[in-house]
Amino acid sequence: MSFSNMSFANHLFRESSLTKVAAVFDSGMQARDAAVQLQRESHIQRNQIHMIGPFDEDWGRKLEPKGLGVWRAAMRTHRSCAAVGLGAGLFTFAALMLSGVTAVTASPLLSLIALLAFGTMFGLLAGGLPNTRPDHDAVIDPVRTAKQHGRWSIVVHPLSPTQRDEALRVLAHTDANVSQTSM
C-alpha cells in the first residue's frame, strides 16, 4: 500500500505512523550522529527516532511502539471487514433472489444464512490480512540482523509522506544501509 492510500490505511488502523524507515550503522556514534542530523535537517521530532543497540533488550518496542494499539487495530479491522462481508453476503442474497435462482428461491432462509455466514467469514479473513503487516519485515529483518552482529540501528516513525522523504534524504547522505516499509 502506498502513501496515496494512506488515508484509508490510517482510517483502518487509526495509527499516526504507518511507515517506518530504518538505517543500520557500524557504531553507536554514527547512529547518534545520524539521529541528531535527522532532527536538525527535517521536521522529525526526537520521539519519532529510536536508536537500537546490540545489547538493547527492548528493541521490539522501538520497532513497534504501540503493542496494545496493534490489538485494537486488529479488532477494528476485523470488525470493519466482517461488516463489509456481511453486507456483501446480504447483497449477494438479494441479487440471487431477484435473479430468480432456483436454489435460493426454493429455500430463502437457508440461503440467506449461508450467504451471510460465508460473507462474514471471508470478511474476517480479509480483516486479518492488513494486520500481518508483511511490509514491516523490510525494516525488522535488517535491524534484527544488525543487532545480532553488534551493529547499531535507528528507526524513524514518520507521520507524513514529507517526513518519510526527509528521513530518506538525510539518511542517504550517511554510510548507513537504509530500508523502509512499503506502507
Side-chain angles (χ1 to χ4, degrees):
M1 192 175 287
S2 68
F3 271 108
S4 62
N5 298 328
M6 192 167 177
S7 61
F8 172 73
N10 279 6
H11 176 71
L12 196 59
F13 287 102
R14 291 198 183 128
E15 291 180 23
S16 54
S17 176
L18 290 175
T19 189
K20 294 174 187 2
V21 177
V24 175
F25 299 90
D26 291 326
S27 72
M29 183 65 76
Q30 289 174 321
R32 257 187 302 282
D33 290 346
V36 169
Q37 188 178 0
L38 272 168
Q39 291 175 66
R40 254 191 267 143
E41 297 180 21
S42 70
H43 294 94
I44 298 170
Q45 303 298 312
R46 175 67 194 126
N47 64 345
Q48 294 173 253
I49 304 168
H50 299 278
M51 195 157 67
I52 299 172
F55 303 108
D56 198 336
E57 296 297 323
D58 202 28
W59 70 280
R61 289 219 186 279
K62 292 179 179 179
L63 279 168
E64 300 285 349
K66 297 177 182 166
L68 184 58
V70 170
W71 286 105
R72 287 186 188 130
M75 293 305 295
R76 188 172 22 263
T77 57
H78 277 86
R79 277 193 310 266
S80 299
C81 291
V84 169
L86 184 72
L90 185 60
F91 177 79
T92 303
F93 171 76
L96 292 173
M97 277 295 281
L98 291 174
S99 297
V101 173
T102 307
V104 176
T105 57
S107 56
L109 182 61
L110 290 176
S111 298
L112 176 64
I113 291 170
L115 289 168
L116 291 178
F118 278 114
T120 303
M121 179 184 66
F122 287 123
L124 287 168
L125 288 171
L129 289 176
N131 293 300
T132 60
R133 305 297 290 269
D135 61 313
H136 284 207
D137 288 346
V139 168
I140 293 170
D141 291 342
V143 170
R144 178 187 297 124
T145 302
K147 184 180 172 337
Q148 291 170 344
H149 291 95
R151 299 178 76 202
W152 291 75
S153 303
I154 59 171
V155 178
V156 182
H157 300 270
L159 300 178
S160 69
T162 303
Q163 283 189 349
R164 183 212 50 197
D165 294 343
E166 288 175 343
L168 291 171
R169 178 185 48 79
V170 170
L171 293 171
H173 297 294
T174 66
D175 291 333
N177 179 13
V178 179
S179 57
Q180 67 175 327
T181 60
S182 60
M183 189 175 274

